[in-house]
Amino acid sequence: MNTHLINKVCGLSHAENMLKVDKLDVNFIGLIFYPKSPRFVTTKSLPPTEAKKVGVFVNTSINEILSHIKSYNLSAVQLHGQESIELISNLRQAILNDPQLSFIEIWKAIPIKNKSDFKQCAAYEHHVDKFVFDTKTNVLGGSGIQFNWSNLEAYNLSTNFLLSGGISAEDADKICQIQHSKLIGVDLNSKFEIQPGLKDIKKLSIFTSQLKAYENSIV
């Protein structure tokens, strides 16, 4: 792994809770704009945060994504559905055509169960800025289930990735032992919840502190 892992806390939908998470010095806050998710963001007004905001979308139109980028001051969009390369290319062009949005990153979530699942990444290589490797299940995200992290050795492309899928407060040491040069961050969600959309600040604090302690020990 890299000597510093970025933290993304996903599935936040309560303003006060979001501000508490932000004080933990996380890098990204994930907002889910998928109506079928129990963490779906319904409010039109969320507080500004030091952490950058990532919008999570599932098979959403480009116009709707662009509207949410502006409304919620997003820094990245995470595509979690069956988005085509054509859609991603058109989204990228629409972002580049707007000087106010040119910094926006595009991330692609890839569902993983077996080593063979990493083959699907090749089609998106050079089209997205980051991958998010989540566990392949019958639900889209927030399953609380981990895939076998030893399968990460099958990933050999150049695009960096965040590890997602069932990470808990007890997994910091295990994550620190992963040796993969393209692992740059973790995506935390359901295992850190009091209820969908509401995060347990104590659990998050323990996890982020453990990661920082490990990183400081090897600097």
Side-chain angles (χ1 to χ4, degrees):
M1 59 166 254
N2 285 280
T3 56
H4 174 68
L5 289 180
I6 60 177
N7 288 297
K8 171 176 173 268
V9 180
C10 197
L12 292 159
S13 57
H14 299 266
E16 183 178 351
N17 187 236
M18 188 178 298
L19 290 174
K20 290 179 179 179
V21 170
D22 193 42
K23 290 181 180 178
L24 297 177
D25 196 29
V26 301
N27 303 100
F28 294 96
I29 285 173
L31 307 176
I32 297 178
F33 299 110
Y34 179 52
K36 293 183 180 181
S37 170
R39 302 165 186 88
F40 177 54
V41 174
T42 56
T43 178
K44 296 296 183 182
S45 178
L46 290 174
T49 56
E50 291 294 324
K52 297 179 180 179
K53 292 186 174 75
V54 180
V56 179
F57 300 92
V58 178
N59 303 324
T60 307
S61 71
I62 290 176
N63 285 340
E64 186 173 344
I65 292 173
L66 293 175
S67 174
H68 279 70
I69 289 174
K70 295 175 181 178
S71 296
Y72 291 91
N73 193 29
L74 303 181
S75 295
V77 297
Q78 179 177 319
L79 305 177
H80 221 288
Q82 293 78 45
E83 294 83 8
S84 66
I85 299 301
E86 181 182 12
L87 181 142
I88 293 174
S89 296
N90 290 338
L91 174 60
R92 175 79 72 187
Q93 193 57 54
I95 288 171
L96 292 176
N97 287 342
D98 189 332
Q100 295 182 335
L101 304 182
S102 59
F103 64 92
I104 302 294
E105 289 192 348
I106 299 175
W107 302 2
K108 183 70 181 80
I110 303 291
I112 302 295
K113 182 177 181 181
N114 303 310
K115 290 182 179 180
S116 60
D117 291 319
F118 290 101
K119 294 179 181 178
Q120 60 192 303
C121 297
Y124 297 99
E125 180 82 339
H126 308 305
H127 290 280
V128 299
D129 298 289
K130 292 179 178 66
F131 287 123
V132 179
F133 293 147
D134 200 1
T135 306
K136 181 186 287 186
T137 65
N138 293 327
V139 297
L140 290 171
S143 69
I145 301 172
Q146 290 183 8
F147 65 90
N148 186 345
W149 293 345
S150 67
N151 289 339
L152 290 169
E153 66 183 19
Y155 177 69
N156 58 8
L157 300 179
S158 62
T159 302
N160 292 327
F161 69 87
L162 279 74
L163 180 62
S164 186
I167 297 173
S168 72
E170 292 74 40
D171 288 323
D173 182 66
K174 183 180 176 182
I175 290 170
C176 290
Q177 302 309 313
I178 297 175
Q179 299 297 316
H180 200 300
S181 63
K182 298 304 177 181
L183 171 61
I184 62 164
V186 291
D187 189 353
L188 312 175
N189 195 345
S190 60
K191 290 291 187 176
F192 294 86
E193 285 186 327
I194 299 169
Q195 64 185 52
L198 188 67
K199 295 304 187 269
D200 187 316
I201 302 302
K202 183 178 180 180
K203 285 184 178 180
L204 283 171
S205 179
I206 291 171
F207 181 88
T208 56
S209 296
Q210 288 177 334
L211 275 192
K212 288 179 181 178
Y214 178 82
E215 291 164 359
N216 292 336
S217 72
I218 60 176
V219 171

